[in-house]
Amino acid sequence: MAADPKTQMALPDFDVPKKRKRNKFALACAFLASMSSVLLGYDIGVMSGAAIFIKDDFQLSDIKIEILVGILNLYSLIGSAAAGRTSDWIGRRYTMVVAAVIFFAGALLMGFATNYSFLMFGRFVAGVGVGYALMIAPVYTAEVSPASSRGFLTSFPEVFINAGILLGYVSNYGFSKIPNPTKMGWRFMLGIGAVPSVFLAVVVLFMPESPRWLVLQGRLGDAKKVLDRTSDSKEEALMRLADIKQAAGIPLECNDDVVVITKKATHGEGVWRELLLHPTPAVRHILICGIGIHFFQQASGIDAVVLYSPRIFEKAGITSSNEKLLATVAVGVVKTLFILVATFLLDRIGRRPLLLTSVAGMILSLTTLGMALTVIDHTDRKVMWAVVLCISMVLMFVASFSIGMGPITWVYSSEIFPLKLRAQGTSMGVAVNRVTSGILSMTFLSLYKAITIGGAFFLFAAVASVAWIFFYTTLPETQGKTLEEMEGLFGNFRRKSAVAGKKKTGGGGDGGVQLAAANGRSS
């Protein structure tokens, strides 16, 4: 019996579409740009162990150690605040070079410090460099990434922060073995941080400039070349260019290689007025989401765990310095492994489900850790099951954080702001992130002495619970949307995002359908 021709013609419609390969050039750009985040990660990781030897060398009190460890986060505010304007002025790429040069100077100053004041000055210089790197890496990566893999690529900065933390932990353990580590070990730990900044400053010069920054400079021809190489197809490159031109106020029919852009559009005049004084409902919602996710990322206690993990393990019953530093290496390994898992899930599962699952795991682990530490505090003898539970819950906490809250904070905040507001809006989120981290880092030892170490983690669990409610009720799904489509998801987001999900299914695969469904569930 002959087959029906109509049926034969329809068969290709049922073929499973081939999986789109990731754009290798965009992947390389994101990889190189995100290396700047190693600077912050290394400093966080290395200071957790170096502080043990610095305290003995300079005979410092716990309060001075708290300030030394946490003050870099406040110093980084200067860098992140300046980075927004700097990146609009000299470009995203050269701003990364500025970050590397400043951190290089800070690392050398800390390594050669002769007293506490000298060391604090080195922390100040390094902090400014960290602030620059924190702001610019996610912005550049988001702007160079195609929508199909933006979640994967913009999670790279968090991956490199974790890689830096692991390197810092390994450095602590390695240099603690040298003769006289109290006098020399911590200097090598801090000073060796200058090495990755040199490498970063060199490799950045081989990267292209952000296509969105090029358009804001009127360099349409250069922007098109970059978009051709970082998009999944020529058609997508033209669509991205059209979207950026529209956002920058350039007529769509203008196809000159170079056009004149007003200073206002180029250098961001009026941005703060649109962000803070007279925001639209959509921009106000974006700002709340961008600042809120950065606040809760740090307020839930991650830096307290990472910076003071040797203290936590000491309270749990591990007394040997080598064993404490080795246990922190385990924390770094787990943190890095789970952040790698998260990078492959962001564009498959979506931001909201991964974030909510991550925070739920954090709540459970923080609560259990608080209970175990409370048992140890109220027992004179060593309770082995509680010690094992403490270590397990620290590892579970960093794993839960790394699979969602860690990377999604940077992905989400870098992709939701409109083009004109992106640099300054992202810098505000980073500022809140660093202030919150700095306050917690500089008060954790005093906090746990005031309310017990178990009580401190119960407090972090309560903050994480509030964070889960905030994320569930406030953050719309952004998976599969182009950067220029983001503003339409915000404002009255339950209604708008559902409509956007129905209207827009091209370019983001089935992200629009998933978006509508996700927001329908959250209504």
Side-chain angles (χ1 to χ4, degrees), residues 10-94:
L11 284 177
D13 296 338
F14 295 94
D15 288 347
V16 177
K18 292 182 179 179
K19 187 177 179 181
R20 181 180 289 172
K21 293 182 179 179
R22 296 193 190 278
N23 185 293
K24 292 181 180 178
F25 186 73
L27 177 67
C29 292
F31 185 90
L32 295 175
S34 301
M35 286 180 61
S36 59
S37 300
V38 168
L39 305 181
L40 172 64
Y42 183 83
D43 187 272
I44 291 173
V46 80
M47 189 51 74
S48 69
I52 298 172
F53 303 109
I54 293 171
K55 182 179 181 180
D56 293 337
D57 191 9
F58 290 158
Q59 298 296 304
L60 302 178
S61 66
D62 274 349
I63 290 184
K64 284 190 174 182
I65 287 294
E66 279 182 321
I67 294 172
L68 177 68
V69 168
I71 197 68
L72 179 132
N73 295 301
L74 300 185
Y75 290 153
S76 70
L77 289 175
I78 299 171
S80 62
R85 180 55 64 90
T86 304
S87 67
D88 282 343
W89 179 39
I90 64 173
R92 311 325 194 198
R93 189 172 60 142
Y94 287 113

Side-chain angles (χ1 to χ4, degrees), residues 305 309 312-318 323-324 326-328 330-331 334 365 368-369 372-373 376 382 384-399:
V305 172
S309 52
I312 296 169
F313 292 134
E314 182 180 337
K315 293 293 283 186
I318 300 175
E323 289 178 357
K324 283 187 285 188
L326 194 58
T328 61
V331 171
V334 169
S365 54
T368 310
L369 178 60
L373 287 168
I376 291 170
K382 191 171 184 177
M384 201 59 203
W385 67 265
V387 173
V388 172
L389 191 60
C390 282
I391 296 171
S392 301
M393 287 303 104
V394 168
L395 297 178
M396 179 181 171
F397 173 70
V398 297

Side-chain angles (χ1 to χ4, degrees), residues 142-438:
E143 291 184 347
V144 82
S145 304
S148 62
S149 56
R150 191 178 59 248
F152 173 73
L153 298 181
T154 50
S155 64
F156 277 20
E158 183 69 13
V159 172
F160 278 91
I161 288 176
N162 282 273
I165 290 172
L166 179 57
L167 285 174
Y169 286 157
V170 172
S171 174
N172 287 339
Y173 185 69
F175 287 117
S176 68
K177 302 287 188 182
I178 69 171
N180 196 13
T182 301
K183 291 290 182 183
M184 296 301 298
W186 66 267
R187 297 182 184 278
F188 283 108
M189 294 173 189
L190 297 178
I192 203 73
V195 174
S197 59
V198 174
F199 182 71
L200 172 68
V202 173
V203 299
V204 162
L205 300 177
F206 295 93
M207 295 160 46
E209 185 51 84
S210 156
R212 287 174 173 81
W213 184 81
L214 290 171
V215 170
L216 288 179
Q217 306 307 303
R219 295 163 57 183
L220 300 186
D222 291 336
K224 187 177 183 305
K225 291 176 184 176
V226 177
L227 287 169
D228 284 342
R229 299 190 69 186
T230 59
S231 299
D232 293 328
S233 66
K234 294 290 184 182
E235 293 75 15
E236 184 189 355
L238 291 173
M239 288 175 62
R240 288 174 69 186
L241 181 60
D243 285 341
I244 299 170
K245 284 162 65 176
Q246 185 175 11
I250 300 173
L252 295 180
E253 62 274 10
C254 179
N255 293 312
D256 296 338
D257 284 348
V258 179
V259 298
V260 177
I261 303 291
T262 63
K263 183 181 177 183
K264 182 176 181 180
T266 304
H267 295 290
E269 279 75 2
V271 165
W272 295 114
R273 182 172 63 252
E274 291 184 36
L275 264 178
L276 301 175
L277 299 180
H278 303 292
T280 63
V283 169
R284 187 184 299 113
H285 185 185
I286 287 170
L287 192 61
I288 290 170
C289 292
I291 288 177
I293 196 169
H294 272 288
F295 170 76
F296 283 116
Q297 186 200 49
Q298 294 300 327
S300 53
I302 185 61
D303 273 6
V305 172
V306 172
L307 285 166
Y308 295 105
S309 52
R311 291 281 187 126
I312 296 169
F313 292 134
E314 182 180 337
K315 293 293 283 186
I318 300 175
T319 54
S320 164
S321 291
N322 273 342
E323 289 178 357
K324 283 187 285 188
L325 293 178
L326 194 58
T328 61
V329 172
V331 171
V333 170
V334 169
K335 207 169 184 301
T336 304
L337 286 176
F338 276 86
I339 192 70
L340 290 173
V341 172
T343 61
F344 292 97
L345 297 178
L346 275 165
D347 289 315
R348 297 181 183 181
I349 295 177
R351 283 48 157 171
R352 271 177 62 91
L354 208 55
L355 182 62
L356 295 174
T357 303
S358 165
V359 178
M362 290 165 60
I363 294 168
L364 176 62
S365 54
L366 286 168
T367 304
T368 310
L369 178 60
M371 291 170 59
L373 287 168
T374 301
V375 169
I376 291 170
D377 252 356
H378 288 81
T379 307
D380 293 332
R381 59 188 177 81
K382 191 171 184 177
V383 185
M384 201 59 203
W385 67 265
V387 173
V388 172
L389 191 60
C390 282
I391 296 171
S392 301
M393 287 303 104
V394 168
L395 297 178
M396 179 181 171
F397 173 70
V398 297
S400 299
F401 177 88
S402 295
I403 207 165
M405 176 75 101
I408 289 173
T409 296
W410 302 103
V411 171
Y412 204 87
S413 63
S414 64
E415 68 185 1
I416 60 176
F417 285 98
L419 173 61
K420 184 180 177 183
L421 312 179
R422 186 166 300 134
Q424 285 81 358
T426 304
S427 69
M428 284 183 66
V430 172
V432 170
N433 187 293
R434 293 298 89 199
V435 167
T436 309
S437 175

Side-chain angles (χ1 to χ4, degrees), residues 425-494:
T426 304
S427 69
M428 284 183 66
V430 172
V432 170
N433 187 293
R434 293 298 89 199
V435 167
T436 309
S437 175
I439 292 172
L440 283 176
S441 302
M442 291 192 294
T443 58
F444 178 70
L445 297 180
S446 301
L447 176 68
Y448 88 63
K449 287 177 182 177
I451 65 173
T452 74
I453 191 165
F457 286 104
F458 284 135
L459 178 61
F460 292 144
V463 172
S465 300
V466 175
W468 193 95
I469 296 170
F470 174 81
F471 297 150
Y472 183 82
T473 57
T474 308
L475 272 62
E477 179 61 79
T478 58
Q479 179 191 17
K481 295 295 176 182
T482 68
L483 295 180
E484 284 64 42
E485 291 174 328
M486 288 296 170
E487 197 169 353
L489 302 179
F490 292 84
N492 185 6
F493 86 84
R494 285 186 177 84

